[in-house]
């Protein structure tokens, strides 16, 4: 049940090309993404976008004509207040993506192993291999909708006890399954003492993120990742952050390029954090997607040949079609771009696709297309 | 005369810390940079900043609430038109800094050597070491104001012929000397066939940058770097680019994180490029700093214990003080932050400092401080 992914040499371009082709990298799926309705990117819905546009009108031009503060201290102070943490516990990245790229470079040496589950976010494997590490994965059980079970945790822990395993990547909610890891299972993993990277970008809302962050006080081996891309629907800003013990964060900061986040991004993030702290922007107002998700789920449940493959709690859903239907290609013909997971470790060539929930208008277009495909293969 | 810098292991944090301490990294020079007048960052002067502020008022919110185009195609098309190049010849970075970090990771394998001159930009050495390469440097002659000479070029070429040398870093104008490399000497280096990275960030104005870029048609081993930080005085945007043969650029693009540049940055850069193409913003209007540089030079020429160490043609100057004066600390006492070059390879512990030219008001404050220091040590 356990799978190993071959390790590639650092800096070896052909190997990295092979790796990208084999890991289900789902950017660059088509040459002309602008020609499609895009359900492929896990963007959240920005419910306060008029406010964001207004903030840009007030932009402080000093943030553009000067280099950003190399320590990003002002933004960190606000973020720390919002998270109930200290500045020394926060590192800031150009999206969580940059942090995912940096972390294995810092903590993994060649021949070290990293461990993750499958299916999970392809970037965990990609960046680990690029850092020269070896990757092992424990498979989640598709038959049970990819939910965590005692069996899964036992297998993961057995594998994690290998001395060569230095780092464990976990996304919660997981991508592309959309499922949270139960707290007691997470605790079991953290207790192993390996470096655990907990990716919380998919429910980086105050409560869930704060709860996860509090764990770092007793667990200096834990790093929590989040960003403003999904929760706040602001992926264009490229703003992510890592929360960890002062020691861990210091290591990340020492490798971070001093000016990794653009001035306009920091300006808007600060405006947003002040509004959150002042309760002028309310997280609860951003939960409209839940209603849309449940609407989509109900409709998809009516289909014959296409089914929901997991009980996602986040802003995307996972679908599976019968073997004779290549759902990705069929949707593509209808100008709909979803995420093709046929190369994703753990669910290869099984016709899984991931779809981000959009607004009712776009969701109806999607449903129409799914129904047509479903009927066509009747 | 030639120096080698010890290679460090990839991913080794203590080694990288040592490296940073020894390479003259001049960010994080003080804990509280905001308390000083900053002459340390080589920022250009943005002569059209009111226009930039106006553009932000018109920002397209779609560029913020969605992921940026993973291929950055719109920006590349405009940049290609401005440079008289093709899109396939351009890779875009979060500042040229990100490209400097990526390039050795792509082209250097462990035990490969990189070659540069000393003094030069510390980041060339830092990123090469971090990629696992070894670094060799050829010293420029301080006695001749760090100008390129036939002697220097002979020494560099001799060193470059070592088969292990895969990559040569050159900044022109050089940082921190501010001096251009003569065209015929540059041609000699390029003809060696090693990968040559020519950093043009310091005169990325149309004419000079275009001339350098044209060289790539006949020299597929050349990569030219530039950015919007110095020429346009927009370092807060974090926008840099590499120009090279389609093959070289493809290699860089295959390693670039898909969303490395923020949406607001791309929006403003596109506005600026359209204005440049439409001749609404004129490069010549940005040359006020030359007058200021000559003013500063004339005044500094009057000092006894502090002298100009090179004939910089760019927006900073290089100063050297007599041994008993620690110019960096003396200026710091007067709340002026300059770049301490006492750790820079090639000019270690020789009281060199670099100062960026600011406006007349700030330059007068600087001159006043320099005069006081000069008198104090009379």
């Amino acid at each position: 049940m356990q799978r190993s992914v071959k390790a590639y040499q650092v800096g070896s371009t052909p190997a990295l090309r092979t790796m990208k082709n084999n890991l289900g990298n789902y950017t660059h799926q088509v040459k002309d993404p602008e020609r499609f309705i895009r359900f492929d990117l896990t963007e959240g819905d920005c419910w306060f976008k008029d406010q964001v546009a207004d903030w840009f009108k007030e932009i402080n031009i000093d943030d553009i004509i000067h280099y950003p503060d190399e320590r990003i201290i002002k933004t960190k102070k606000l973020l720390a207040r919002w998270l109930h943490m200290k500045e020394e516990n926060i590192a800031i990245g150009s999206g969580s993506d940059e942090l995912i790229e940096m972390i294995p470079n810092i903590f993994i040496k060649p021949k070290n192993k990293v461990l993750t589950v499958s299916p999970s976010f392809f970037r965990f494997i990609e960046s680990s291999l690029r850092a020269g590490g070896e990757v092992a994965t424990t498979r989640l059980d598709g038959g049970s909708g990819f939910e965590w079970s005692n069996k899964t945790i036992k297998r993961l822990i057995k594998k994690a006890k290998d001395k060569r395993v230095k780092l464990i990547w976990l996304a919660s909610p997981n991508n592309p399954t959309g499922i949270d890891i139960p707290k007691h299972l997470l605790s079991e993993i953290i207790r192993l003492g390996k470096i655990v990277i907990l990716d919380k970008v998919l429910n980086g809302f105050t409560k869930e993120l704060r709860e996860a962050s509090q764990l770092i006080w007793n667990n200096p081996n834990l790093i929590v990742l989040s960003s403003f891309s999904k929760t706040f629907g602001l992926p264009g800003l490229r703003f992510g952050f890592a929360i960890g013990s002062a020691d861990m964060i210091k290591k990340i900061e020492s490798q971070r390029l001093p000016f990794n986040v653009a001035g306009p991004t920091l300006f808007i993030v600060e405006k947003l954090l002040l509004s959150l702290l002042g309760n002028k922007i309310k997280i609860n107002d951003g939960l409209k997607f839940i209603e849309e998700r449940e609407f989509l789920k109900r409709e998809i449940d009516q289909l014959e040949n296409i089914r929901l493959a997991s009980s996602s709690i986040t802003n995307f859903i996972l679908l599976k079609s019968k073997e004779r239907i290549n759902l990705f290609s069929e949707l593509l013909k209808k100008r709909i771009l979803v995420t093709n997971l046929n190369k994703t470790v753990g669910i290869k060539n099984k016709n899984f696709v991931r779809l981000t929930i959009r607004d009712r208008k776009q969701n109806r277009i999607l449903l129409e297309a799914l129904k047509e495909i479903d009927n066509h293969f009747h």
Side-chain angles (χ1 to χ4, degrees), chain A residues 239-272:
Chain A
F239 186 81
F241 51 102
I243 308 159
S245 68
D247 183 51
M248 286 287 211
I249 292 300
K250 213 172 177 179
K251 283 177 184 157
I252 297 173
E253 284 283 301
S254 78
Q255 296 262 0
R256 180 176 65 80
L257 295 185
F259 312 114
N260 63 332
V261 181
T265 292
L266 296 176
F267 179 84
I268 297 298
V269 165
E270 286 164 18
K271 285 279 190 185
L272 171 53

Side-chain angles (χ1 to χ4, degrees), chain A residues 133-341:
Chain A
E134 284 177 37
V135 176
T137 69
T138 296
R139 207 192 273 261
L140 293 168
D141 181 8
S144 319
F146 302 104
E147 301 279 350
W148 282 83
S149 65
N150 286 329
K151 212 166 143 187
T152 313
I153 196 83
K154 263 184 204 158
R155 277 190 275 128
L156 182 86
I157 284 175
K158 191 181 165 195
K159 222 171 169 62
K161 283 183 175 162
D162 177 347
K163 274 186 186 165
R164 286 170 64 208
V165 170
K166 300 290 171 189
L167 197 148
I168 302 170
W169 293 103
L170 294 170
S172 180
N174 191 21
N175 179 352
T177 64
I179 289 169
D180 240 339
I181 173 168
K183 280 176 201 167
H184 67 283
L185 299 185
L186 177 63
S187 298
E188 273 195 66
I189 298 167
I190 294 173
R191 268 201 303 271
L192 293 169
K194 312 277 171 157
I195 298 171
V196 176
I197 314 297
L198 182 64
D199 180 335
K200 294 293 289 179
V201 297
L202 290 170
N203 67 358
F205 289 100
T206 310
K207 189 173 148 279
E208 289 86 347
L209 183 59
R210 276 191 193 148
E211 273 179 18
S213 306
Q214 305 306 320
L215 294 174
I216 72 151
W217 301 125
N218 295 321
N219 301 287
N221 57 320
L222 177 67
I223 296 173
V224 177
L225 296 183
S226 190
S227 88
F228 277 30
S229 301
K230 326 295 189 190
T231 315
F232 296 112
L234 295 168
L237 288 184
R238 311 310 303 129
F239 186 81
F241 51 102
I243 308 159
S245 68
D247 183 51
M248 286 287 211
I249 292 300
K250 213 172 177 179
K251 283 177 184 157
I252 297 173
E253 284 283 301
S254 78
Q255 296 262 0
R256 180 176 65 80
L257 295 185
F259 312 114
N260 63 332
V261 181
T265 292
L266 296 176
F267 179 84
I268 297 298
V269 165
E270 286 164 18
K271 285 279 190 185
L272 171 53
L273 286 167
L274 280 169
S275 294
L276 287 164
L277 288 163
N279 217 19
K280 280 169 192 157
I281 285 175
K282 294 181 181 69
I283 290 285
N284 280 349
D285 293 343
L287 299 176
K288 216 168 56 191
F289 76 88
I290 296 178
E291 199 182 306
E292 283 304 307
R293 186 183 63 210
E294 297 312 309
F295 162 71
L296 274 180
K297 280 183 176 177
R298 280 193 305 273
E299 296 288 321
I300 289 165
D301 269 341
Q302 314 296 317
L303 306 177
E304 291 277 328
N305 300 294
I306 302 165
R307 64 170 179 83
L308 284 160
S310 71
S311 300
S312 171
I313 61 158
T314 185
N315 73 330
F316 57 71
I317 51 173
L318 184 66
L319 295 190
K320 184 171 163 37
S321 60
K322 288 200 175 154
E323 263 172 52
R324 60 205 164 111
I325 312 176
N326 184 328
L327 196 49
F328 176 74
S329 316
E330 292 297 326
L331 284 167
L332 216 55
K333 286 182 206 161
K334 295 177 186 296
R335 298 262 194 184
I336 290 173
L337 183 57
V338 300
T339 302
N340 181 2
L341 301 174

Side-chain angles (χ1 to χ4, degrees), chain A residues 5 72 99 112 161 220 230 287 326 349 355 359:
Chain A
V5 179
I72 321 186
L99 296 160
N112 280 178
K161 283 183 175 162
K230 326 295 189 190
L287 299 176
N326 184 328
N349 301 318
L355 297 100
D359 60 21

Side-chain angles (χ1 to χ4, degrees), chain A residues 55-68:
Chain A
W55 289 332
F56 274 111
K57 291 178 190 159
E58 301 166 30
I59 205 151
N60 184 354
I61 200 68
D62 278 338
D63 290 348
I64 324 301
I65 63 170
H66 296 302
Y67 279 93

